Amino acid sequence: MKIPFVSFVPIEKELNIDLTEAFNRVLTRSWYIQGLENEAFERVFAEYIGAKYCIGVGNGLDALMLALKALGIGNGDEVIVPSNTYIATALAVTYTGAKPVFVEPFISTFNLNPARIEEKITEKTKAIMPVHLYGQACEMDSVMEIARKYGLKVIEDCAQAHGATYKGKKIGTFGDAAGFSFYPGKNLGALGDAGAVVVNNKELADKIRALGNYGSDYKYHHVYKGNNSRLDELQAAFLAAKLPYLDKMNNERRRIANRYLNEIKNPKVVLPTVAENMVPVWHIFGIRCKERDALEVYLNKRGISTNKHYPIPIHLQECYRDLGYKKGDFPIAEEISQTELSLPMYYGMTDDEIDYVIESINDM
């Protein structure tokens, strides 16, 4: 049996008519940037998240960067980020001129440990960027309490957690701003690159929109030294067509994850933990195994595709050598990088495929 790590085929077949109608609607209008489709998607996505404003941008990295810039983060500032996350989180900070400061995660959930934040706060610290990694929410009550105590901004990185909740409230609604990625592999994925920022403050929303439109508040009038990062009409139309199905897709991911959690019994495998008060959406189902590489080879030989998130932690990446970190500085992130293996997880997996993944792991 051949099982891909991710497949778009099931959802694209199911939504073929909706996606085709969306494409034809854009083509018929001949309006491709900042039009009715973008306005419509921004409205419905803000409503879905529970925020007042949504600003469509080019991708998830831009979403975080623009949010940081709009909140005044810049040269000489420091921003708290997890040591275990995709590099885009840190890059967004770097692109503002600020410095990413790493804080270790819980190894059980892979997410930022709030108890470790305060020791990294200095007079230069201006913000905290919690990442709702793999589709599970961070402990936002603790993060927000620390932010209030020190007068820090909070920018949520929601790139992997569309629809996840913490204490019954959707992520993306706790901090000052939140960035989303709609890369095709995300739970809500476009058919290309796309992203969005959600906020509850109109002045901030207007500033983010201007920053993503060459710093312009109206044509040929430039208030800021901005960027070109706008959600195009075609991707907005595709996203609006897929959004009504997001909860259904997330529920299916939870069903698959629950089978993995309940039926994988191999003592060499450490399963992820779902923290209290969280309802995850399982963008990634990451297990840990001391024999990770051997397990990967074994599963791949059996036709099961896997992935590793993330085999080189950010502080050991070549591009961040200037920060002066060395191996051993962030042991939890390093252990995760050496032991994490992501299993197939996507809407449309069949029971036979799920059975085969579970049986293969248990038989190793």
Side-chain angles (χ1 to χ4, degrees):
M1 184 180 292
K2 294 286 187 181
I3 303 176
F5 177 68
V6 64
S7 175
F8 306 135
V9 174
I11 190 61
E12 288 171 354
K13 282 185 176 179
E14 188 170 329
L15 298 186
N16 181 269
I17 294 175
D18 302 72
L19 295 173
T20 301
E21 288 178 351
F23 175 83
N24 288 334
R25 196 166 59 244
V26 174
L27 192 63
T28 299
R29 285 198 182 115
S30 297
W31 191 294
Y32 302 109
I33 299 289
Q34 293 188 319
L36 296 177
E37 298 293 342
N38 187 49
E39 291 176 7
F41 174 70
E42 289 180 344
R43 183 177 63 255
V44 296
F45 190 69
E47 290 173 356
Y48 176 81
I49 295 299
K52 291 182 179 179
Y53 307 101
C54 170
I55 305 96
V57 298
N59 54 68
L61 170 55
D62 284 357
L64 297 174
M65 178 194 64
L66 293 169
L68 286 163
K69 281 188 172 183
L71 288 165
I73 308 301
N75 292 328
D77 295 335
E78 294 179 351
V79 179
I80 301 290
V81 301
S83 57
N84 178 55
T85 183
Y86 185 53
I87 198 168
T89 310
L91 288 174
V93 176
T94 301
Y95 290 164
T96 69
K99 175 185 176 181
V101 175
F102 301 115
V103 169
E104 290 272 67
F106 294 109
I107 198 166
S108 57
T109 64
F110 306 110
N111 266 341
L112 180 69
N113 182 349
R116 295 174 176 266
I117 292 176
E118 287 190 85
E119 65 191 48
K120 295 296 184 77
I121 293 175
T122 72
E123 62 181 12
K124 295 181 179 180
T125 307
K126 296 296 186 294
I128 306 171
M129 188 181 289
V131 181
H132 305 292
L133 201 67
Y134 301 168
Q136 182 164 194
C138 291
E139 294 185 1
M140 290 307 299
D141 280 355
S142 298
V143 172
M144 295 307 299
E145 182 179 350
I146 294 168
R148 286 190 291 269
K149 179 178 177 180
Y150 291 92
L152 305 177
K153 302 296 185 182
V154 174
I155 302 93
E156 297 176 68
D157 183 339
C158 305
Q160 300 184 6
H162 315 73
T165 63
Y166 172 67
K167 293 188 175 180
K169 184 179 178 182
K170 283 193 175 71
I171 55 94
T173 56
F174 293 88
D176 297 277
F180 286 83
S181 167
F182 303 122
Y183 180 77
K186 305 300 185 185
N187 292 36
L188 179 63
L191 274 62
D193 267 324
V197 186
V198 298
V199 299
N200 284 317
N201 180 289
K202 186 178 187 305
E203 183 179 352
L204 182 61
D206 291 343
K207 187 174 182 180
I208 292 168
R209 190 178 301 283
L211 282 167
N213 188 32
Y214 298 97
S216 175
D217 54 352
Y218 60 88
K219 195 167 186 178
Y220 301 133
H221 183 261
H222 302 271
V223 185
Y224 314 105
K225 296 175 182 176
N227 300 81
N228 175 19
S229 184
R230 301 169 296 193
L231 178 61
D232 70 68
E233 287 290 277
L234 195 57
Q235 300 305 336
F238 289 147
L239 289 167
K242 295 178 77 173
L243 182 59
Y245 298 86
L246 177 57
D247 287 343
K248 177 183 177 181
M249 293 187 286
N250 284 343
N251 286 335
E252 180 62 9
R253 287 174 176 269
R254 292 188 190 103
R255 186 185 76 84
I256 298 167
N258 286 335
R259 288 208 56 197
Y260 285 160
L261 290 169
N262 293 325
E263 299 177 42
I264 292 176
K265 302 296 183 182
N266 188 324
K268 297 179 181 179
V269 170
V270 179
L271 297 170
T273 298
V274 179
E276 189 177 357
N277 298 315
M278 317 288 187
V279 179
V281 293
W282 298 108
H283 172 60
I284 297 294
F285 190 93
I287 61 175
R288 288 191 298 112
C289 180
K290 293 292 185 182
E291 302 174 26
R292 187 267 307 279
D293 293 343
L295 176 59
E296 179 184 36
V297 170
Y298 163 77
L299 291 175
N300 291 173
K301 284 183 177 179
R302 291 177 67 90
I304 300 170
S305 297
T306 55
N307 206 336
K308 290 177 282 193
H309 295 86
Y310 300 97
I312 305 174
I314 300 174
H315 69 283
L316 298 180
Q317 293 284 355
E318 182 72 18
C319 65
Y320 276 115
R321 285 184 63 184
D322 60 306
L323 294 181
Y325 293 118
K326 63 184 183 303
K327 190 172 182 179
D329 284 343
F330 297 95
I332 298 177
E334 290 173 29
E335 181 172 347
I336 292 172
S337 74
Q338 295 161 10
T339 60
E340 192 275 346
L341 187 68
S342 303
L343 302 182
M345 169 62 68
Y346 56 90
Y347 177 81
M349 279 189 77
T350 67
D351 284 332
D352 286 345
E353 290 171 332
I354 301 166
D355 289 341
Y356 185 66
V357 173
I358 294 168
E359 291 166 5
S360 296
I361 294 174
N362 288 340
D363 289 346
M364 179 188 179

